[in-house]
Amino acid sequence: MYNGNQIQYTFEEYTTSEAKIVYVKLKNIHGESNIEYDSINYIAPDPISLTSITLAGGVSTYDGLTIPVEFSVGIETPSHYRLAESTESLSLGSWIAWTTNITYEFKTAGEKILYAQVKNEVSESSVVSDSITITLPAISAIIGMNSTANYQL
């Protein structure tokens, strides 16, 4: 129902830039108005683009299960991202709100491939990947000895 205020209209197809025409016809208890129209030159936002990801600054081997992930995106800022160790897991995975200092935690060490995708309100990017070898940090132990006791390991 029209109450004298502005009416917001969302275009259903907004992936291309083009002139859009909006038609309006009002009706009340006294009758109907003529059809009026106006046009607007709609400029669609650029679709999101993800060129690559870089794991742990680009090193081939990383010591630790949690690694930093850098995204190389186009002009548009993503609203969400997702990461997974297979394309199937990626397509089933949940979107995570975009932030800075993104990390990923592998469950085990070894040769790994990480897949990534980003999205914004307009589109989803293609899937990209990077590979890395994950190693576990060496474990060291410090054993203290007491000069008055004889300990055997």
Side-chain angles (χ1 to χ4, degrees):
M1 173 181 264
Y2 179 72
N3 62 6
N5 294 323
Q6 293 181 349
I7 297 173
Q8 183 176 352
Y9 178 79
T10 302
F11 294 112
E12 290 183 24
E13 180 63 39
Y14 56 85
T15 57
T16 59
S17 297
E18 58 189 41
K20 301 284 186 182
I21 300 174
V22 178
Y23 297 90
V24 176
K25 184 175 188 176
L26 300 176
K27 178 180 178 179
N28 65 15
I29 59 171
H30 302 291
E32 295 181 4
S33 72
N34 292 329
I35 297 174
E36 299 292 332
Y37 66 92
D38 199 358
S39 65
I40 184 170
N41 190 21
Y42 178 76
I43 300 173
D46 291 330
I48 196 74
S49 137
L50 176 60
T51 356
S52 64
I53 58 169
T54 303
L55 304 179
V59 299
S60 59
T61 302
Y62 187 78
D63 198 21
L65 295 175
T66 303
I67 62 166
V69 181
E70 296 172 31
F71 289 76
S72 179
V73 296
I75 298 170
E76 296 292 320
T77 300
S79 61
H80 293 81
Y81 72 96
R82 58 185 174 185
L83 298 167
E85 294 179 51
S86 72
T87 54
E88 182 180 343
S89 295
L90 185 71
S91 66
L92 298 173
S94 298
W95 290 100
I96 301 166
W98 184 256
T99 185
T100 56
N101 301 319
I102 296 171
T103 61
Y104 182 81
E105 183 176 354
F106 290 101
K107 303 296 180 222
T108 60
E111 293 181 14
K112 304 292 183 179
I113 299 175
L114 189 64
Y115 297 88
Q117 190 176 25
V118 295
K119 74 173 186 172
N120 64 9
E121 67 281 352
V122 176
S123 63
E124 295 178 6
S125 73
S126 57
V127 175
V128 299
S129 64
D130 194 12
S131 60
I132 194 165
T133 300
I134 299 296
T135 57
L136 297 176
I139 299 174
S140 59
I142 300 174
I143 300 175
M145 301 290 273
N146 182 328
S147 62
T148 60
N150 185 7
Y151 293 99
Q152 211 172 18
L153 297 178

